[in-house]
Amino acid sequence: MKTLKAILLLGLLSSSASALAEKIGVSMAYFDQNFLTIIRQSIDKEAKARGLDAQFEDARGDVGRQTDQVQSFIGAGVDAIIVDPVDSASTPQLTKLAQQAKIPLVYVNRTPGDKTLPAGVVFVGSDERESGTLQMEALAKMANYKGNVAIMIGNLTDAGALQRTKDVEQVVAKYPGMKVVQKQPANYARNEGMDLMLNWIGNGEAIDIVAANNDEMAIGAAMALAKSNKKILVGGIDATPDGLKAMAQDKMQVTVFQDAIGQGKTSVDVAQKLIKGEKVDSHVWIPFELVTKENMQKYVEKSQ
């Protein structure tokens, strides 16, 4: 009988602890993008390690759906919200909703479009002024600072993609022997990167370097180039496991490490600090790092 009472008491304590656990609502722009999957898994792992109850929702690239998800989190009384924005331009509305509900809000990965972030709202991510600069400087050096450059843009509504593109253009402008000859979106997708590259090849574009805003588009470009037997330098950004594999096979020549695990883990840390009322800077930066053939093994080990 004592044993039964002990088991029942343990069960009650366990359910009480679960009920008292701080709850975090997490809305991801996409569940099926490789880089964002790593962030989501990192958030999940860190939340569990801290005893937090995290609820995940997939916005599937739909701004309206993401707004509904944030409103549902608010209605459910979560203690904090983490959002990987579908669109940078949509974040001021999400910020307003969270502020009105007095719920801490953490944006992760994609730069929010707010001019300034109020108290209780924080961005965790990497400074995009570094990403395209590191990528293009490395590609320019490999090309002896000569050649025609084509840029694959993530998408035209993403502040991060636009900044990466601007970075590349600014580097190219420094070198008289280089120029940007093509610049089009491929929506961060491998298949769209391949289609865009095939289109450029089919049109007879004279291209020596492809600077893609992420690894997925760069891999797509490399797949298209493999079909045409053309030798062009290809660079990506993110250093995803697939991107590193492409580098090992010499299909990509450079990428830039964006710490998806670090972004996910830090977003949970920041959310919990905000729940506790601790002061946090409006922007928490996770540095980018250049990845080349010489140092890529270090990043392969990080991704495992």
Side-chain angles (χ1 to χ4, degrees):
M1 191 68 176
K2 285 183 179 179
T3 304
L4 180 60
K5 286 182 178 178
I7 292 171
L8 289 171
L9 180 60
L10 187 62
L12 285 170
L13 289 171
S14 177
S15 62
S16 296
S18 177
L20 293 171
E22 291 165 335
K23 293 179 173 59
I24 297 177
V26 184
S27 173
M28 301 295 297
Y30 297 93
F31 272 13
D32 61 355
Q33 282 192 3
N34 287 356
F35 187 80
L36 299 184
T37 296
I38 298 170
I39 292 178
R40 175 164 51 89
Q41 290 171 343
S42 176
I43 292 172
D44 188 37
K45 183 177 179 180
E46 186 65 18
K48 285 174 179 172
R50 291 170 179 257
L52 303 173
D53 180 6
Q55 177 189 340
F56 291 86
E57 297 292 345
D58 181 4
R60 289 181 276 172
D62 187 311
V63 170
R65 182 178 283 111
Q66 186 159 69
T67 302
D68 289 344
Q69 289 167 356
V70 168
Q71 289 174 324
S72 293
F73 292 149
I74 292 169
V78 298
D79 298 291
I81 298 169
I82 296 174
V83 173
D84 163 55
V86 168
D87 185 338
S88 300
S90 69
T91 61
Q93 173 64 14
L94 303 182
T95 299
K96 184 179 178 181
L97 289 170
Q99 287 279 287
Q100 287 174 341
K102 298 181 179 179
I103 294 176
L105 172 63
V106 180
Y107 291 114
V108 63
N109 182 244
R110 180 166 287 174
T111 311
D114 307 57
K115 289 182 180 178
T116 57
L117 295 177
V121 181
V122 174
F123 171 60
V124 175
S126 301
D127 188 345
E128 296 294 357
R129 290 170 296 184
E130 299 173 359
S131 56
T133 302
L134 288 169
Q135 177 198 52
M136 193 61 229
E137 285 286 5
L139 288 168
K141 185 177 180 181
M142 290 176 185
N144 294 317
Y145 304 101
K146 295 177 183 178
N148 293 337
V149 180
I151 306 173
M152 289 190 175
I153 305 170
N155 69 55
L156 297 174
T157 61
D158 176 20
L162 298 178
Q163 183 61 52
R164 291 178 185 186
T165 300
K166 183 179 178 182
D167 297 340
V168 171
E169 291 174 317
Q170 288 177 334
V171 171
V172 171
K174 288 167 52 179
Y175 305 113
M178 305 184 77
K179 65 178 178 178
V180 174
V181 294
Q182 278 292 343
K183 182 175 67 171
Q184 292 183 47
N187 297 307
Y188 290 121
R190 186 180 303 194
N191 63 321
E192 293 192 42
M194 182 173 71
D195 290 344
L196 181 55
M197 191 74 237
L198 287 170
N199 186 47
W200 286 339
I201 293 168
N203 290 338
E205 300 285 353
I207 296 170
D208 304 294
I209 300 167
V210 173
N213 283 172
N214 77 338
D215 285 347
E216 283 296 293
M217 293 185 297
I219 292 168
M223 290 166 65
L225 291 168
K227 293 182 178 182
S228 66
N229 294 316
K230 281 187 173 288
K231 281 290 180 183
I232 293 176
L233 294 173
V234 178
I237 293 174
D238 287 338
T240 60
D242 283 355
L244 293 169
K245 185 178 178 181
M247 281 189 66
Q249 296 169 344
D250 204 31
K251 293 176 181 177
M252 278 170 52
Q253 283 65 53
V254 65
T255 187
V256 179
F257 176 66
Q258 185 177 191
D259 190 355
I261 293 173
Q263 288 185 12
K265 185 174 182 178
T266 304
S267 69
V268 176
D269 177 55
V270 168
Q272 192 166 44
K273 284 178 178 175
L274 292 174
I275 290 169
K276 293 177 179 177
E278 296 179 25
K279 190 174 180 181
V280 182
D281 289 341
S282 63
H283 290 70
V284 179
W285 298 114
I286 312 292
F288 281 105
E289 300 170 33
L290 180 65
V291 183
T292 62
K293 275 272 192 174
E294 289 70 34
N295 69 354
M296 66 172 288
Q297 189 55 39
K298 165 186 169 183
Y299 297 93
V300 171
E301 290 166 6
K302 277 188 179 185
S303 70
Q304 291 172 344

